[in-house]
Amino acid sequence: MVTIREVAKAAGVSVATASRALNGLTSVTRETREKIEAKAAELNYIPHSGARSLTRRQTDTIGVILPDLFGEFFSEIIRGIDLVVHGAGKNLLLGNMHGSPEETGQAIRAMRGRVDGLLVMPPNSSADTIGDGFARDIPTVLLNARAKDDQTPFVTVDNYAGARLVTEHLIERGARKIVHIAGPASNRDASERQRGYRDVLYEKLNDDNPIILPGDFREDAGRNAAQLLLTGNIPFDAVFAGNDLMAVDLMTELREAGVEIGRELLVAGFDDIPLARYVTPQLTTVHSDITRLGSAAALMVLRMMKGEKLGAEDALVIAPTLAKRGSTAGKG
């Protein structure tokens, strides 16, 4: 491989001058910079990322720490982040805390010295759990969470508004016994979705004791809920699942039992993962624009890496919309 020493020799400059020019520093004249860049291109010089990091004290890398890396929800977030990060000429370093608050600090500490900025989604949507491992010395943006100090910028979805949208839709389609499959008890997204569901049922149907089945945002919860509905003495004509993954598996289990989804039973989810458009019938769901969630957070951390001061007042709350599809078509 061609070294920077060879580029400097070909351009007739010192190694230090060649390094400054190729790292974009302003202490080199335009004429000299263009000569060095031309020689670097001619020799097909590829900068060594480790050496560049030492020289500039930068890694050109953004760390992303998520509760999980499995499933379409997280893959869509990563896709949104990567679209922005790649376009900015930066790299991604992914970390997985496996849904454990205890592993969050460990994951963050492992990123220290290896990234210029951080995007963190705490496992329970509360940055309180990050504790002493929280990286306050580098630009950090939270995903779907608000920091305890109320100073760290964040990007989130208005889960409460989305749950209201989908619950109101089910009622408009004629549902009166709407069952909810909850998300994890410690997850703020899940609690906000449940709160929106509860409020609408009380306001529209005067129902202050709705049926809520346990769930954890994983597919097994959808299958388990389906079995409870099939074998239990529970009156229901619609199900609002706390996320799409549970809704899809609920639909699969009920359809195999002979339940006609979309006519006999209305089903809706939340997130609008790609799979929601490929099941039969297609799933009605809250479109939370997951890709935008990731890309907006990435843009925010890039601004901070350039020296811009951002705080919680610069947070972005994404307003969801409702994607109406066949799973709530009704009998009409």
Side-chain angles (χ1 to χ4, degrees):
M1 291 181 64
V2 176
T3 67
I4 195 169
R5 190 176 298 276
E6 292 172 281
V7 174
K9 183 178 179 180
V13 299
S14 68
V15 173
T17 300
S19 177
R20 288 195 296 271
L22 293 174
N23 281 308
L25 301 182
T26 58
S27 56
V28 181
T29 66
R30 178 179 176 182
E31 181 182 357
T32 301
R33 183 191 309 280
E34 289 176 349
K35 180 170 66 173
I36 293 169
E37 289 175 345
K39 289 299 180 181
E42 181 182 318
L43 295 171
N44 196 28
Y45 169 69
I46 300 174
H48 187 280
S49 59
R52 170 177 279 187
S53 297
L54 290 173
T55 301
R56 300 167 56 210
R57 297 184 183 277
Q58 293 180 353
T59 65
D60 285 332
T61 301
I62 293 174
V64 181
I65 301 177
L66 300 173
D68 201 343
L69 300 180
F70 172 77
E72 292 191 55
F73 177 82
F74 293 109
S75 65
E76 286 297 294
I77 287 179
I78 294 169
R79 185 168 75 89
I81 293 170
D82 186 59
L83 285 171
V84 171
V85 171
H86 180 73
K90 308 291 184 183
N91 304 305
L92 278 184
L93 180 62
L94 296 178
N96 182 357
M97 64 188 76
H98 302 284
S100 166
E102 292 74 23
E103 291 187 34
T104 307
Q106 181 181 342
I108 290 174
R109 286 190 293 274
M111 294 277 186
R112 289 184 183 276
R114 304 170 68 188
V115 299
D116 301 326
L118 265 180
L119 300 174
V120 182
M121 179 184 288
N124 64 354
S125 295
S126 170
D128 296 356
T129 60
I130 293 178
D132 295 336
F134 189 53
R136 301 184 184 280
D137 55 342
I138 63 173
T140 301
V141 175
L142 297 177
L143 291 155
N144 274 5
R146 181 189 292 267
K148 184 169 63 175
D149 60 13
D150 211 28
Q151 295 178 1
T152 307
F154 61 91
V155 180
T156 189
V157 173
D158 192 337
N159 291 284
Y160 176 78
R164 288 190 62 95
L165 279 176
V166 72
T167 309
E168 288 169 352
H169 170 69
L170 290 170
I171 293 172
E172 289 168 1
R173 299 304 298 165
R176 293 297 179 268
K177 297 293 183 180
I178 305 171
V179 173
H180 178 57
I181 308 176
S186 61
N187 187 287
R188 186 173 179 274
D189 290 355
S191 63
E192 284 294 283
R193 293 172 190 184
Q194 186 178 137
R195 186 169 70 90
Y197 154 81
R198 280 182 172 276
D199 284 356
V200 169
L201 285 192
Y202 183 72
E203 292 166 13
K204 302 290 186 180
L205 303 178
N206 199 31
D207 183 355
D208 60 357
N209 190 31
I211 297 170
I212 299 175
L213 303 180
D216 58 6
F217 284 165
R218 297 178 181 273
E219 60 265 36
D220 285 349
R223 288 194 288 270
N224 292 338
Q227 289 302 316
L228 285 173
L229 293 174
L230 289 169
T231 59
N233 187 23
I234 301 174
F236 65 97
D237 54 16
V239 178
F240 164 38
N243 75 345
D244 290 345
L245 200 56
M246 295 191 298
V248 168
D249 274 67
L250 171 96
M251 286 170 57
T252 300
E253 196 79 6
L254 292 177
R255 194 168 54 242
E256 289 177 357
V259 178
E260 190 175 3
I261 306 297
R263 292 175 60 84
E264 186 179 351
L265 174 70
L266 310 184
V267 177
F270 201 113
D271 288 329
D272 200 14
I273 61 175
L275 180 62
R277 298 183 288 279
Y278 295 102
V279 293
T280 303
Q282 291 184 330
L283 178 65
T284 291
T285 182
V286 177
H287 179 71
S288 56
D289 210 343
I290 311 168
T291 306
R292 184 187 172 203
L293 183 73
S295 60
L299 286 169
M300 200 173 284
V301 82
L302 285 172
R303 289 166 59 192
M304 296 173 72
M305 287 162 56
K306 292 178 181 177
E308 191 171 343
K309 301 291 185 182
L310 298 179
E313 66 276 9
D314 301 291
L316 173 64
V317 179
I318 298 173
T321 56
L322 186 63
K324 301 176 185 178
R325 301 192 181 109
S327 68
T328 58
K331 296 180 181 180

